[in-house]
């Protein structure tokens, strides 16, 4: 209970993380490290010096999709292509395996509206970018429309994540 109090979460929440009932996001891992005064987040996660997090649960929600012949339904939609690998927003129609067309222009990010779907970069513990899929509800990025995933909000203003782009369309391919 003392550890949970120092971290700033309930003891039941911490117990669920410890037993694996609830997943551990990078954001929550950083909060735990700060609360327990760990300098090295990798040590807290049980990583050896120089070990990559690729073999852990800390991977992103999307990966770059290289097939340039795949085109969106509308020629007006331009941008990067990303394959969704985690069903963070499946209840609002962005399922796992979908290919998302992401507008990464400064104009798209500046004109972002509430509840739009976005890709964002998380600060990484090993220097590699971790890309997540979320809904934007200023100033936070949320997982609120998932059938099986529940995570804490990411606050853009506090530097929890940086918006990479706005998902303008998606298609599902096998």
């Amino acid at each position: 209970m003392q550890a949970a109090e120092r971290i700033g979460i309930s003891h039941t929440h911490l117990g669920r993380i410890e037993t694996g009932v609830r997943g551990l996001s990078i954001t929550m891992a950083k909060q735990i490290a700060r609360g327990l005064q760990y300098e090295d987040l990798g040590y807290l996660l049980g990583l050896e010096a120089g070990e990559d997090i690729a073999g852990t649960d800390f991977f992103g929600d999307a990966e770059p999709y290289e097939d340039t012949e795949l085109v969106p339904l509308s020629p007006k939609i331009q941008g990067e292509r990303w394959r969704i690998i985690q069903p963070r927003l499946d209840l609002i129609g962005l399922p796992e395996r979908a290919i998302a067309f992401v507008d990464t222009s400064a104009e798209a990010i500046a004109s972002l509206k509430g509840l739009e779907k976005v890709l964002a970069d998380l600060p990484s513990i090993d220097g590699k970018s971790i890309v997540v899929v979320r809904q934007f509800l200023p100033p936070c990025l949320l997982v609120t429309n998932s059938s099986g995933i529940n995570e804490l909000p990411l606050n853009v203003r506090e530097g929890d994540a940086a918006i990479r782009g706005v998902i303008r369309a998606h298609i599902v391919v096998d």
Side-chain angles (χ1 to χ4, degrees), residues 6-17:
R6 290 195 332 235
I7 295 166
I9 60 176
S10 72
H11 71 279
T12 28
H13 187 166
L14 182 58
R16 288 179 180 145
I17 291 171

Side-chain angles (χ1 to χ4, degrees), residues 7-41:
I7 295 166
I9 60 176
S10 72
H11 71 279
T12 28
H13 187 166
L14 182 58
R16 288 179 180 145
I17 291 171
E18 289 175 323
T19 58
V21 171
R22 181 166 175 121
L24 181 63
S25 67
I26 291 283
T27 304
M28 180 54 69
K30 287 169 56 178
Q31 184 175 340
I32 291 170
R34 278 191 303 270
L36 299 179
Q37 299 177 342
Y38 277 92
E39 294 290 324
D40 182 1
L41 183 57

